[in-house]
Amino acid sequence: MTHAHTHGHGRHGEAEILDLDAQVLAEHITALTGWLPVQAPPRRIVDLGCGTGTGTFALLDRFPEAHITAVDTSAAHLQRLRERACARGAEGRVRTVQADLDAADWPDLGAPDLVWASASMHHVADPGRALGQVRDLLAPGGLFAVVELSGFPRFLPAGAPEDRPGLEERCHEASDRFHAEHVPHRGADWGPKLTGAGFTVEDERVVTVNIDNTDRSRREAVGAYALGSLQRLRHSVAEALTPEDLAALDRLLDTAGPGSLLRRDDLAVRTERSVWAARRTG
């Protein structure tokens, strides 16, 4: 799950959360890149809102002949991505570009065969204009893949925490209200928007993610992902929660306390991803 805009909160900054997202959801990201209905292996790819490179490196693995232009507003994210590319020996296949997708004029990104945008399009102020820019950017016959999450993942089992059952769901309800006001395109159906921008939507699907932490090798990553995600969630819901719910949330986030998320062995990662594959046919 990469982002075009940066929001760093709590112990885990945005970059750390993106890296954990890539680690925990690696199998699902690989499945999505494998599903893409490309007509031929793309040689030039643009990753819009690339974050620290979750999609970039999955696409490099999927298309070993491709060169990727990774675009993000955050210089820190791009620096991290370049370091990761060097560590993988892939620096010759990756170019980074710092740019704001809301800008009227985008920098020269070439004429890619594939544009990938994961959890970035819902941040743009004017989706119609941004989609038009992507269409103009793509080579004729090129593919545009839009991947979006249904919202923040869920982590706790039903009835947890024991002292405030239903806390996570109430946090999500408050978060949905917050994002409806501040990020109105989150959760949108991008199919009609893509069609309206002149694309032909070739396929779309919803991928259900349900990862438990019974695998000890994954438990630490799932716990850290839950902690970082709920820290970020707290930032947007604190004012909307009752004092009792906020106190219960803080007990979960207190890594030194007896009620810490990190002490639980019943966490899971539950979410959905929607993906649209749209072709530039003209």
Side-chain angles (χ1 to χ4, degrees), residues 16-249:
E16 287 76 17
I17 290 296
L18 293 177
D19 287 349
L20 284 165
D21 184 84
Q23 181 180 351
V24 173
L25 302 179
E27 294 174 13
H28 292 84
I29 298 163
T30 299
L32 287 179
T33 59
W35 164 82
L36 292 172
V38 295
Q39 294 176 337
R43 303 299 294 262
R44 296 160 298 176
I45 300 173
V46 169
D47 183 358
L48 288 179
C50 60
T52 58
T54 300
T56 299
F57 295 110
L59 290 163
L60 284 175
D61 289 341
R62 172 72 175 85
F63 303 111
E65 301 299 316
H67 286 75
I68 298 186
T69 298
V71 184
D72 204 89
T73 58
S74 167
H77 287 175
L78 294 174
Q79 175 63 28
R80 196 164 180 137
L81 190 154
R82 285 192 296 271
E83 291 169 357
R84 292 177 64 191
C86 287
R88 293 169 56 118
E91 63 271 24
R93 297 174 58 203
V94 178
R95 176 173 75 108
T96 58
V97 175
Q98 187 175 0
D100 187 343
L101 300 185
D102 284 330
D105 295 311
W106 289 2
D108 182 6
L109 301 176
D113 312 302
L114 170 65
V115 173
W116 170 274
S118 180
S120 57
M121 295 308 296
H122 70 263
H123 286 291
V124 300
D126 185 346
R129 185 178 73 176
L131 293 177
Q133 287 171 298
V134 173
R135 187 185 180 282
D136 293 342
L137 177 69
L138 271 169
L143 194 70
F144 182 29
V146 177
V147 185
E148 288 287 342
L149 290 176
S150 60
F152 279 102
R154 267 78 167 167
F155 299 99
L156 293 167
E162 292 69 16
D163 54 349
R164 295 295 292 176
L167 170 66
E168 189 173 32
E169 202 54 44
R170 293 191 293 276
C171 287
H172 279 272
E173 290 168 0
S175 173
D176 289 344
R177 292 193 296 271
F178 175 88
H179 284 91
E181 179 179 353
H182 295 94
V183 194
H185 305 301
R186 192 181 79 162
D189 180 357
W190 287 87
K193 297 180 188 296
L194 287 160
T195 302
F199 288 96
T200 299
V201 177
E202 290 198 350
D203 205 352
E204 61 183 275
R205 64 172 50 186
V206 176
V207 178
T208 300
V209 177
N210 193 342
I211 301 169
D212 64 36
N213 70 346
T214 53
D215 182 346
R216 287 187 174 275
S217 66
R218 194 155 46 189
R219 185 170 298 175
E220 184 177 348
V222 169
Y225 187 44
L227 178 67
S229 297
L230 288 176
Q231 284 174 334
R232 296 184 66 227
L233 186 64
R234 185 194 188 284
H235 180 82
S236 63
V237 304
E239 294 182 3
L241 295 180
T242 65
E244 294 81 7
D245 275 349
L246 186 59
L249 180 58

